[in-house]
Structure formats: C-alpha cells, structure tokens
Amino acid sequence: MNFGKVSKRVDQVLPFYVMDLMAKAKQLEAQGRDIVHMEVGEPDFSTPKPILEAATKFLAQGNVHYTQAQGLLALREKIAQFYQSEYRVSVPVERIFITPGASGALTVALASLLDEGDEVLIPDPGYPCNSNLIKLFSAEAKSVDVFAEDNFQFTVDSINDAWGDNTRGVMIASPSNPTGMMINRGQLSALIQQVQEKQGFFISDEIYHGLSYAEPAVSALEFSDDVFVLNSFSKYFGMTGWRLGWLIVPEYAISAANRLMQNMYIAAATHSQYAALAAFDEDTQDILRERCDQFEQRRDVLYDGLEALGFKMNEKPQGAFYIYVDCSSFCDDSFSFALELLEHSGVAITPGLDFGANHPERYLRFAYTTSVERIELGLQRLKEFLLMKGLLVKG
Ligand SMILES: Cc1ncc(COP(=O)(O)O)c(C=O)c1O
C-alpha cells in the first residue's frame, strides 16, 4: 500500500533553505519594509528588446505548436555558429538539444548517463540541484570539497582521490554558483583528460558563460567531443522566465537524449525558441555586453565594500554574479546571521547551507543582481548591523 505517501526517492530531495529567507523577506515587504535583495540568482535586467520583439512577432501569427523534440533547427544552427565564433569549435546540429532551461538539460544529461548505484563527483560548494537530481535517478552524488586556493574548482588530485569503484563521472560549473570562480584552460584540459582516462563522463555546466570579467570562460568542447555541455538563455541572455537552455551531447548519446526529450518534455516552449532566435543578433549582443560591464562594476563595488567591512576575502571572483564570502570573523553560524541581518536590517543574502556541507556555516553568498545604488545601500545597512552587534568598531 502506498496511499498518501510520496516516493522514497523524493524524500531525499532537499528544499532550498534560501526559500525560508525569501518567504521572510516577502513577509517583511508586505509589512512595508524595504529589502535589499542580494539573495536572488537571476539578473534584474528585463529581457532584451529584440528578443521580446521576435517573440511578439511569432505569437501574433497565432500558430504556437510543438517543435520537434530536439528543438528548432534554425536555433540549433545559431547555437552551432555561436560555438564556432566564440570558442572556435565545430558542433554538428545533431548533437545540440534545446531544453527547458539548463535544468532540462541537466535532467536529460543525467537520465542519459546514470544507472542505479552509480556515483557522480560534484564540487562542494556547488549548485544544490545537482545532488538532488542525481539522487532522483537512483544514483549517488559524492561531494568533494573544493577550496579557495583552487578557485573552488576540482583539481586532478581531488578527482583522483575521490574516484571510487562506482564513480561514473564528474560535474563541474565554471563560472560557478555559488562562488563565481572559474577554472582555467590548463586545469580544465587536465581534468577532462583525467576523467577520460578513467573512462568517466564529464558534464560541464556553462550557464554563466558570457558573464566573465577578465578572461573569457573556456568550454569543455574546446578539448573533447566526448563531453556533455549545458548552457542556458537564463543568465547571460537575461531570459530566466522563458525557461530555455541547451544541451550538447557526444555522438553516442544523441539517440538517448532524443528519446528522453520526447518523453520528458515533448519539446521546449515554442515561443521561447522563436524569441531566442534573436538572442545572437548583433543588436542583442550589444545590449548584453553592456549589461556585462554593469555586472563587473557591481562586483567591484560589492567586493571592495565587503573587504572594507573586514570580511575575509578570497580572490576576486572572475564571473557569474556571486561573491561567496567567508564571514567567520563575524559569526559562527551564517544561517542565523543571514536571518538576523534580514529581519533587523532588511538585507537578504543566501547562507552557505544551500550549497553543501563544506563549512557552510562560514559562508554567505551575495548576488549582485541589483543596482550599484542598492548594493551600496545594502553595504551601508550591513555596516550598521555589524556596529549594532559590536562586531565592528566605529572609525
Ligand atoms: C549552476 C547552475 N546550473 C543550472 C541552473 C539552472 O538554470 P535554468 O534552468 O534557469 O537555465 C542554475 C540556476 O541558477 C545554475 O546556477
């Protein structure tokens, strides 16, 4: 009898702790309080106008039907051109799948690869959904601690040490959520080589590509065709709500990914795919490059501000829109700290707890997905909070 019960699998899926904080923030806002939001992992910018126009034009003709499971050929062709111009790699359109966000890409990749009992190495701290999705497919997520001195990315040694009899592959993200740190060309090439020597799969989450402030991010496809690469229109392209991403699979997984897309999703949203046809146009790219400059400016304001307040800073993050800050000089429980900061001073940030078990109590994630003025206000409130708690001496 299973009446009134959910599956054992889903019981293992953890909630986002930040949701509690967001609920609290909403409640405070409903009471008329002003909240500086630095907890949200999505750009505050609206969808670029050329993309909106493309969507409106498509919707106006009224025929909004399914596309083929793999996605519009015209969009896959644009993505293939993007890999050619951005990374100098040639990707056949047959290997490109348009998915409902990077989330859809993750589920298709993991469903293509995992059997019961398989183990996947994931970095800790890392994107929380990965371990939950791996568990949903009856596999094990083995968290491997990554450290500030390695840019919070895997090293060849860390992979070697963690690799066990049941390990089947590795997932990385660069730039990373929650750290904004990137893996360099040499590190990435060595990791892929290492994993392939062990005959493992390599999943590279490249969702924050485009949002990098020094060197451009390197794609795993620059080193091998036998990798799974996922990306999305959510972050750089500012299209979170359109739920559109893509997955590039090795030749051997094309049929599997096709069957999974058909069965799990039928296809990604049609109007979103037509909208995204304008995403690579020069006028859209001009808008996006300008936004990227704004993100860089915000990062600098936030980083310098946190440093001036006395947080222990790691190297400046090179990408995404996050700073993962060591707050151990001010507290030994980042969750309570974040909650109190929100309630007392109206600043919302995400505690480390959501990103794994690697000393989460010591870390806070700040998202610079709000304007420089709001970031400055947030820093001012943070300063007053620290003064009020006697953690900062007036000077
Ligand atoms: C590292 C990473 N991967 C994947 C996703 C999923 O993004 P989406 O489904 O909106 O494309 C996110 C969202 O925050 C993320 O941070």
Side-chain angles (χ1 to χ4, degrees):
M1 278 279 276
N2 201 30
F3 182 71
K5 273 205 292 190
V6 297
S7 69
K8 292 195 191 78
R9 263 197 206 105
V10 89
D11 266 345
Q12 298 181 52
V13 174
L14 302 172
F16 290 171
Y17 295 101
V18 71
M19 292 300 171
D20 294 348
L21 262 120
M22 282 167 79
K24 184 85 212 162
K26 286 236 153 62
Q27 191 191 333
L28 293 173
E29 276 171 334
Q31 291 163 11
R33 291 271 304 277
D34 172 65
I35 307 295
V36 176
H37 288 281
M38 289 196 274
E39 82 282 29
V40 196
E42 68 174 331
D44 50 324
F45 299 113
S46 48
T47 302
K49 210 158 161 237
I51 298 179
L52 284 174
E53 282 168 359
T56 313
K57 190 166 162 216
F58 170 72
L59 287 171
Q61 54 75 48
N63 282 315
V64 189
H65 300 293
Y66 295 134
T67 66
Q68 65 181 113
Q70 192 158 359
L72 281 181
L73 178 60
L75 183 55
R76 289 185 286 128
E77 280 169 351
K78 289 209 184 251
I79 292 172
Q81 279 159 20
F82 170 74
Y83 277 88
Q84 192 64 56
S85 60
E86 207 59 30
Y87 307 102
R88 307 265 164 249
V89 292
S90 131
V91 185
V93 287
E94 294 74 31
R95 286 175 49 209
I96 303 174
F97 289 77
I98 310 298
T99 55
S103 307
L106 276 169
T107 49
V108 170
L110 292 171
S112 304
L113 289 165
L114 294 178
D115 280 315
E116 192 173 344
D118 287 352
E119 188 179 82
V120 187
L121 305 185
I122 56 167
D124 184 349
Y127 179 55
C129 298
N130 291 344
S131 60
N132 290 326
L133 292 176
I134 291 167
K135 283 184 243 165
L136 262 186
F137 292 112
S138 302
E140 298 291 326
K142 184 170 182 182
S143 295
V144 180
D145 289 355
V146 288
F147 302 99
E149 54 271 30
D150 302 315
N151 273 354
F152 287 108
Q153 293 284 351
F154 281 138
T155 61
V156 167
D157 285 346
S158 62
I159 295 291
N160 251 338
D161 294 346
W163 201 278
D165 290 344
N166 296 327
T167 309
R168 295 287 171 264
V170 167
M171 295 176 81
I172 71 149
S174 168
S176 131
N177 177 6
T179 68
M181 299 298 227
M182 282 163 61
I183 194 161
N184 68 35
R185 185 170 285 278
Q187 253 180 310
L188 181 58
S189 149
L191 274 191
I192 293 174
Q193 197 183 339
Q194 173 74 5
V195 171
Q196 291 187 341
E197 272 166 23
K198 293 180 181 295
Q199 303 194 325
F201 62 75
F202 196 89
I203 301 180
S204 180
D205 182 340
E206 304 185 352
I207 187 169
Y208 293 102
H209 277 215
L211 294 170
S212 56
Y213 312 113
E215 299 284 307
V218 188
S219 172
L221 287 162
E222 294 178 52
F223 306 104
S224 172
D225 282 330
D226 280 331
V227 288
F228 288 74
V229 165
L230 53 103
N231 203 326
S232 173
F233 290 97
S234 287
K235 311 286 176 164
Y236 175 66
F237 297 92
M239 294 177 68
T240 44
W242 298 79
R243 310 308 306 127
L244 200 68
W246 69 87
L247 172 67
I248 298 175
V249 303
E251 196 77 35
Y252 72 84
I254 292 176
S255 158
N258 240 317
R259 283 176 281 133
L260 286 165
M261 272 304 299
Q262 290 162 11
N263 282 278
M264 291 164 83
Y265 303 114
I266 302 189
T270 303
H271 63 290
S272 302
Q273 296 191 57
Y274 276 93
L277 285 173
F280 300 99
D281 292 355
E282 220 19 72
D283 48 351
T284 310
Q285 289 299 316
D286 287 345
I287 297 170
L288 298 178
R289 276 190 286 266
E290 201 270 320
R291 290 178 177 184
C292 189
D293 291 343
Q294 287 194 51
F295 275 126
E296 183 175 3
Q297 195 197 347
R298 294 166 174 194
R299 176 200 61 171
D300 291 345
V301 169
L302 181 59
Y303 185 92
D304 294 348
L306 292 171
E307 189 167 44
L309 287 176
F311 283 90
K312 285 189 210 159
M313 304 304 286
N314 296 312
E315 218 179 287
K316 204 181 257 192
Q318 310 92 342
F321 32 62
Y322 306 115
I323 302 185
Y324 200 54
V325 181
D326 185 333
C327 56
S328 58
S329 44
F330 296 121
C331 67
D332 50 19
D333 174 5
S334 59
F335 189 82
S336 312
F337 183 91
L339 199 59
E340 208 185 327
L341 177 68
L342 172 63
E343 283 172 346
H344 186 273
S345 304
V347 178
I349 48 177
T350 308
L353 204 55
D354 266 328
F355 307 107
N358 179 6
H359 300 294
E361 71 291 344
R362 204 190 277 172
Y363 286 96
L364 296 167
R365 187 193 75 176
F366 288 74
Y368 41 95
T369 44
T370 189
S371 67
V372 166
E373 294 71 38
R374 298 292 290 171
I375 291 170
E376 281 169 344
L377 178 63
L379 285 166
Q380 183 56 35
R381 289 183 183 177
L382 181 54
K383 182 176 179 180
E384 282 155 17
F385 177 73
L386 293 174
L387 282 169
M388 182 273 297
K389 288 186 70 75
L391 295 168
L392 211 62
V393 189
K394 216 167 189 146

